[in-house]
Amino acid sequence: MRVLHLCWSYLSEWFPGEGSFFRNMVEPLRDAALDVTVVTPVPYAPRFLGRLIPPGVRRVAVLPRSYEFNAVPVLVPRYARLPRRLDGDLLPVLMARAVASAVHDKPHILHAHFAYPYGVAALHLSRRWRVPVVLTIHGDDGTILPYRSEGDRRRFVRAVRGADHVLAVSDDLVRRTYDLAGRTVEFWPIGVDLNVFRRRTEDRAVLRRRLGLPTDKKLLLFVSALTEQKGVDQVPALMDRLHPGIRAVLVGDGPLRQEICNNPRCIWVPPIPNSRVAEYLSAADVMVLPTEREGTPTVLVEAGAAHLPIVANAVSGIPDLLADCRGVLAEPHNMDSLVRAIEETLSDPEASGQRAARLYAFVATHYDCSSNGQRLKQLYERLLAQRCADPLSDPGIAGKI
């Protein structure tokens, strides 16, 4: 069975900290003997234009047209980028044409990640190839996109109603998708590799010294893009409110990096391969995520697999993950609440350990990527069987590539 995953990023040597949740879905399919390929269409960016190219486009210009990562082929076709105000319904069409030109063997299943533009692009490809489409709603495509404009809401609904099967990574997204598109979709935890993030037996002081972290401080760990959306702008003020013996370790990059580097109580770690994040989870005392919006953050699932206590804002899918005393929730946009949650977690290690143990048991049951990969393979097989039983079935979207 040939499966094509259409998404915005995939782990690579160029962007080591990105795409882990795609990898956690794709690599178990590879291990299950599926012929799986990832396609990440990017805007065409002539290098000779240099600084005239927008930074977001310039950063992907370094990617080759194809490469392989952990035995998974990755195709990187280019499409013509239009001004953002003109993107609209043309962007998925341009993406679909680029993907079609790069893929030589027609897949049996298309799996798109994020409703727009990838979900809509997948529907155009499905019309061309007459294959089933699976769509995964991950976060902003369900919590932000449909509310920006009537056009974006229409695109979201089009992707959801046109796909053969729709998955959502949190119960919150399941509810939102039903409210927006009137379609019942399936909650689908992507999962993590439990063996990678299992709590390490190495002495914490030894591990911290190896990582260059202080051994005599309490460490709060933040693993995210260094942006306001992730709540990183709150970190300097947060550290001013906490005990002087506490330090913040921030793994990632983004526009707030310099602000973090200038703070003496913050330790910045450049983006690292996902497998190395496990070392920092084992070295920290608490994982903190003061994000404004998410689906279900993979990094919190990874922290759960590592038995690390969690403090996070009660937004999107996070309350579902940390329900039943599996972590401590803070009110969004409330510094007092965040400070109390961190102090509560640090002041009672026994209670924090019990919450972490409950979260680990929950993650081990529902978020093992190997088990979820087998379930996804079975879903693909059911969709193909249904398509074979009804060869005249149509994905439900008009238009040609």
Side-chain angles (χ1 to χ4, degrees):
M1 183 193 307
R2 286 190 298 275
V3 182
L4 193 69
H5 278 251
L6 182 60
C7 58
W8 61 262
S9 179
Y10 197 72
L11 277 178
S12 67
E13 61 187 275
W14 298 276
F15 308 119
E18 294 185 9
S20 62
F21 50 101
F22 297 134
R23 191 197 75 178
N24 293 340
M25 184 174 277
V26 168
E27 291 187 3
L29 298 174
R30 175 208 62 195
D31 296 339
L34 269 63
D35 182 359
V36 58
T37 298
V38 173
V39 183
T40 61
V42 301
Y44 173 65
R47 295 190 185 186
F48 66 84
L49 292 180
R51 295 285 176 180
L52 296 177
I53 303 171
V57 177
R58 188 166 63 239
R59 70 187 289 270
V60 298
V62 301
L63 291 171
R65 296 277 178 168
S66 64
Y67 64 93
E68 190 172 282
F69 188 85
N70 286 359
V72 174
V74 183
L75 304 178
V76 192
R78 266 59 172 182
Y79 62 89
R81 179 65 185 267
L82 298 175
R84 187 174 298 275
R85 67 180 182 279
L86 300 178
D87 272 346
D89 295 322
L90 286 177
L91 178 58
V93 174
L94 296 173
M95 280 188 170
R97 288 177 175 171
V99 171
S101 67
V103 175
H104 301 298
D105 295 319
K106 167 186 159 181
H108 298 102
I109 292 281
L110 271 168
H111 192 145
H113 299 269
F114 293 90
Y116 176 86
Y118 306 98
V120 179
L123 298 183
H124 285 288
L125 290 163
S126 173
R127 185 71 174 180
R128 177 190 184 104
W129 289 327
R130 303 197 67 80
V131 297
V133 171
V134 176
L135 170 66
T136 298
I137 308 295
H138 282 276
D140 283 2
D141 52 336
T143 60
I144 301 299
L145 172 76
Y147 306 99
R148 290 193 312 200
S149 69
E150 184 56 36
D152 282 334
R153 180 188 179 96
R154 173 178 53 79
R155 294 175 188 109
F156 176 84
V157 171
R158 183 185 188 193
V160 170
R161 292 182 179 173
D164 292 81
H165 199 87
V166 182
L167 313 174
V169 302
S170 72
D171 287 326
D172 175 68
L173 287 171
V174 169
R175 294 186 290 267
R176 286 176 180 269
T177 303
Y178 181 81
D179 291 341
L180 289 162
R183 180 172 183 178
T184 300
V185 304
E186 184 176 2
F187 167 57
W188 197 278
I190 292 176
V192 299
D193 187 338
L194 298 178
N195 291 322
V196 170
F197 293 95
R198 197 178 304 279
R199 181 165 50 184
R200 295 167 182 257
T201 57
E202 184 177 7
D203 181 80
R204 179 178 284 181
V206 173
L207 179 58
R208 287 187 177 186
R209 280 194 290 270
R210 181 157 58 81
L211 295 175
L213 301 175
T215 60
D216 60 341
K217 309 291 184 184
K218 295 290 186 181
L219 299 184
L220 309 180
L221 181 64
F222 300 74
V223 182
S224 69
L226 303 185
T227 64
E228 290 187 13
Q229 176 186 328
K230 298 292 186 179
V232 174
D233 58 316
Q234 303 177 47
V235 174
L238 173 66
M239 299 311 296
D240 289 341
R241 296 277 300 274
L242 294 172
H243 188 277
I246 298 173
R247 295 290 181 271
V249 179
L250 297 99
V251 180
D253 206 351
L256 298 180
R257 181 182 71 184
Q258 196 58 50
E259 183 176 347
I260 294 304
C261 291
N262 291 339
N263 192 301
R265 294 182 60 184
C266 294
I267 301 168
W268 176 62
V269 179
I272 56 177
N274 189 248
S275 57
R276 286 204 59 213
V277 172
E279 299 177 320
Y280 287 87
L281 292 171
S282 295
D285 294 286
V286 183
M287 163 67 74
V288 181
L289 187 62
T291 182
E292 296 180 3
R293 58 182 187 266
E294 293 283 346
T296 296
T298 302
V299 69
L300 296 190
V301 180
E302 293 168 348
H307 289 81
L308 182 63
I310 293 174
V311 170
N313 276 356
V315 298
S316 303
I318 295 175
D320 295 322
L321 180 66
L322 301 185
D324 301 324
C325 292
R326 293 191 289 264
V328 179
L329 294 169
E331 297 176 14
H333 310 291
N334 188 329
M335 180 65 71
D336 291 339
S337 176
L338 184 60
V339 169
R340 286 195 302 269
I342 293 172
E343 290 176 341
E344 174 187 344
T345 302
L346 290 175
S347 64
D348 193 342
E350 183 177 352
S352 297
Q354 292 171 353
R355 285 190 288 267
R358 285 190 287 268
L359 179 58
Y360 174 79
F362 185 77
V363 165
T365 301
H366 299 286
Y367 287 86
D368 176 26
C369 66
S370 296
S371 299
N372 291 354
Q374 289 294 332
R375 290 177 55 224
L376 189 56
K377 178 183 178 181
Q378 293 167 6
L379 169 61
Y380 293 160
E381 291 169 345
R382 290 198 304 272
L383 290 176
L384 283 178
Q386 292 168 7
R387 181 58 62 93
C388 291
D390 184 11
L392 298 179
S393 64
D394 191 276
I397 183 171
K400 295 181 180 181
I401 300 176

